Amino acid sequence: DAGVIQSPRHEVTEMGQEVTLRCKPISGHNSLFWYRQTMMRGLELLIYFNNNVPIDDSGMPEDRFSAKMPNASFSTLKIQPSEPRDSAVYFCASSSSGGPGYFGPGTRLLVL
Amino acid sequence: DAKTTQPPSMDCAEGRAANLPCNHSTISGNEYVYWYRQIHSQGPQYIIHGLKNNETNEMASLIITEDRKSSTLILPHATLRDTAVYYCIVRVANPKLVFGKGTKLTVNP
């Protein structure tokens, strides 16, 4: 199994631009999570989906952030407009029926 | 989910066992103990989990006290590649994982 796949691995953009992060979960997993990691705040859960339905988005920082899961094999996290404080590593993870979560390699986002 | 307490850092000599403690005194009967680690710049990696009984896999052993208020992750023969931040997480069967600050383990040659 290829594991959780994230793209792009690195993204540099300018303030105000739209950023889209992508995730392909492990095949057969029915839960998907988006996390953000910074030095100051550590690993924060932004949102999680179960069977493609958003269950808990209480960690989404503000309306500039949105996440979708159109099908079981793909999810996006979008930031529009981006700000320098959004610079972080964004991780996607997936799990099956409450089992352990498996993380992707992350997308390193730098907003200038 | 119950809160966990871990020492911020630990050191271990290469080849020796690394014993990482975790306190979870408010754990309830249906909450599992999960351990993850994060090697620098990589995504967190699942290590092991348990409910009541001790568990062992190819990576580590998990010892949970009888009252379940604390646990220890044991890496039997630590290598330099085990240097990482180790997270102890307590959760019920729902899939949500909430990470604390973890323990930074440094394995020294």
Side-chain angles (χ1 to χ4, degrees), chain A residues 20 68 84 110 112:
Chain A
T20 300
K68 292 183 180 179
L110 177 61
L112 301 174

Side-chain angles (χ1 to χ4, degrees), chain B residues 70-100:
Chain B
S70 65
S71 60
T72 301
L73 179 75
I74 301 173
L75 308 178
H77 305 286
T79 71
L80 299 179
R81 287 177 295 178
D82 292 321
T83 292
V85 178
Y86 287 77
Y87 298 96
C88 169
I89 301 166
V90 169
R91 70 161 170 93
V92 293
N94 80 65
K96 188 171 162 179
L97 286 169
V98 178
F99 288 79

Side-chain angles (χ1 to χ4, degrees), chain A residues 40-97:
Chain A
M40 290 295 292
R41 300 174 69 92
L43 266 164
E44 302 174 277
L45 176 64
L46 300 178
I47 185 171
Y48 87 87
F49 295 83
N50 197 45
N51 295 324
N52 311 339
V53 176
I55 302 299
D56 183 349
D57 65 354
S58 58
M60 294 286 264
E62 49 197 271
D63 292 345
R64 297 185 298 107
F65 285 69
S66 62
K68 292 183 180 179
M69 192 164 186
N71 57 61
S73 59
F74 183 65
S75 177
T76 59
L77 178 68
K78 189 176 291 188
I79 309 172
Q80 166 63 16
S82 58
E83 296 182 3
R85 60 188 167 130
D86 302 329
S87 298
V89 183
Y90 291 81
F91 291 104
C92 176
S94 69
S95 71
S96 173
S97 299

